[in-house]
Amino acid sequence: LFSGADEALQVIRRLAPIYPLPGRQLRTLTTALADLFGATDAADMIYAQGSDACSAAQSARQACIDASRVLAGSPRDAEVILRMLLLHGAKAGQRDPAYHLLHVFSLIDHLLPMPQRDGEMRDVREEEIIAIWIRQVIPRVLTDLTAFFKMLDAENKAHMVRRLADLDEGVVGIAEWLVGEEIKMLKDAVRNLENAMTEHADSILLREYQVTISLRFLSDLMAGPSGSTTLAHTLTTSVGGSSEVASIMTSILHSLMANHSFSPFLFNVGEALISNPANLDPGLSFALALTCLRAVRYPAPADVNGTTVTLASSLSYALQALHVTPIRIIDPDRLCSELCDAL
């Protein structure tokens, strides 16, 4: 079956550029490619490496990738295929939803143009293709992209943002848009956590998990392995300087402190924002100062980030945040209370 599918896709690859498929047929073929792509991965894990079944599955997997790229040869077809994959990710049918979503995400990752590698130069044609995707294709599917993005786990969310940021290079701001949407989701999760404080312990645990996942995603992008990259700098500037996003982030920090909730990832995000204070929103800077002082009461276990939140580092970041906070913003009673508790 895999060999037959491989041969059929080879034929489609050769005919599609000459005879483009109508929209309905293209959407049907796209979902079939996604399902076949997932089946090849399952076969690859079940059968022994080097066996005929495994080899046929691997060949069919590559054929799915190649066919999707050929079919997305025009802006209109690329939009149809990308939108269909984004929608299909939520339609697992009888399959494992998480497994199905991961396969669709992997196919989308292969479908997107490859970013420039270090030391390599892109030719004019590659630049044109990337420009088409960034300026014409992706902006038209932002709603579906956001819905798909919200279903991913923290690691794959971070990978998607990095992938799009590498292609965008700050032209459209797609990565910043997705991070802003994640912060809005975090605000909803924090509100749900507040409302769940009187509910069953399992409900509270679920809400805490949702908040932690969002904070982990933000921490990974701003203060994780990519913390020193251009993307991290861009995101911290966007979050700290945008009045709307900064206001939401400020509300999140105050709500978490009111609930006596804390995560090492929250301190990492605060540290990253404070490290880029040039355009930091005044209200956010004061909330960050209080958060850094609060962090002293919740030392991070060594398996989270390898270090604990020490008093020295907490006070250092708190002072940096206060340094850029106007006097009129500072609440002396709250500041004294947090400082006394930290000491």
Side-chain angles (χ1 to χ4, degrees):
L1 291 176
F2 285 131
S3 297
D6 186 7
E7 293 179 2
L9 290 176
Q10 300 295 341
V11 174
I12 292 173
R13 281 178 54 199
R14 287 166 172 77
L15 294 178
I18 305 172
Y19 305 102
L21 291 174
R24 178 175 297 180
Q25 283 76 10
L26 184 58
R27 289 190 289 271
T28 301
L29 180 57
T30 300
T31 57
L33 284 173
D35 293 339
L36 177 60
F37 185 81
T40 60
D41 186 68
D44 190 31
M45 292 189 297
I46 294 173
Y47 296 102
Q49 294 294 316
S51 65
D52 292 341
C54 182
S55 298
Q58 292 173 349
S59 179
R61 175 185 174 87
Q62 186 60 46
C64 290
I65 297 172
D66 295 339
S68 65
R69 289 174 175 170
V70 170
L71 290 168
S74 69
R76 169 260 181 192
D77 290 342
E79 178 187 345
V80 170
I81 292 174
L82 180 58
R83 187 189 303 277
M84 201 64 215
L85 289 175
L86 294 172
L87 294 173
H88 189 61
K91 300 176 182 178
Q94 300 300 318
R95 296 175 290 270
D96 183 331
Y99 195 65
H100 173 72
L101 181 66
L102 182 61
H103 285 142
V104 174
F105 172 71
S106 179
L107 184 56
I108 292 174
D109 190 32
H110 284 95
L111 175 65
L112 294 174
M114 295 303 298
Q116 181 179 357
R117 298 179 181 177
D118 294 338
E120 291 188 359
M121 295 295 292
R122 289 194 291 251
D123 58 32
V124 176
R125 178 55 182 163
E126 290 176 331
E127 293 284 358
E128 291 176 349
I129 292 174
I130 291 176
I132 288 173
W133 276 85
I134 291 300
R135 297 176 182 176
Q136 299 183 41
V137 178
I138 297 178
R140 294 176 180 173
V141 298
L142 267 185
T143 301
D144 299 316
L145 177 64
T146 304
F148 182 87
F149 173 79
K150 291 178 179 180
M151 294 186 290
L152 297 173
D153 58 36
E155 293 180 359
N156 286 320
K157 281 182 177 179
H159 178 77
M160 173 174 277
V161 168
R162 293 191 187 100
R163 188 81 163 80
L164 294 173
D166 287 341
L167 293 175
D168 187 8
E169 297 181 340
V171 175
V172 178
I174 298 173
E176 293 88 333
W177 163 268
L178 290 177
V179 171
E181 291 300 302
E182 181 68 24
I183 291 176
K184 293 177 183 178
M185 285 179 56
L186 175 58
K187 180 181 179 181
D188 292 337
V190 171
R191 183 186 299 112
N192 292 334
L193 176 60
E194 290 178 324
N195 297 334
M197 284 303 176
T198 57
E199 299 178 5
H200 193 272
D202 291 341
S203 178
I204 297 176
L205 184 63
L206 175 61
R207 303 304 183 188
E208 290 177 341
Y209 176 77
Q210 292 173 335
V211 172
T212 301
I213 289 298
S214 289
L215 289 174
R216 179 186 173 187
F217 162 74
L218 295 174
S219 172
D220 189 22
L221 285 178
M222 297 181 184
S226 63
S228 60
T229 64
T230 302
L231 172 60
H233 179 78
T234 301
L235 292 179
T236 53
T237 301
S238 174
V239 173
S242 169
S243 58
E244 179 186 4
V245 179
S247 176
I248 295 174
M249 199 69 196
T250 302
S251 173
I252 290 170
L253 294 177
H254 285 305
S255 296
L256 290 174
M257 285 187 286
N259 291 335
H260 301 282
S261 301
F262 186 79
S263 166
F265 300 121
L266 178 61
F267 181 78
N268 292 341
V269 172
E271 178 184 349
L273 290 171
I274 294 170
S275 299
N276 187 21
N279 298 312
L280 198 59
D281 179 83
L284 178 58
S285 62
F286 182 61
L288 288 170
L290 298 179
T291 299
C292 289
L293 293 175
R294 180 70 63 91
V296 179
R297 290 190 265 168
Y298 301 92
D303 60 347
V304 174
N305 58 9
T307 59
T308 58
V309 180
T310 64
L311 176 61
S313 64
S314 174
L315 289 176
S316 174
Y317 286 115
L319 288 174
Q320 290 183 50
L322 289 172
H323 182 70
V324 296
T325 305
I327 296 295
R328 59 183 174 79
I329 300 295
I330 297 177
D331 183 342
D333 292 336
R334 289 199 62 187
L335 180 59
C336 290
S337 175
E338 291 293 342
L339 185 59
C340 292
D341 291 338
L343 298 174

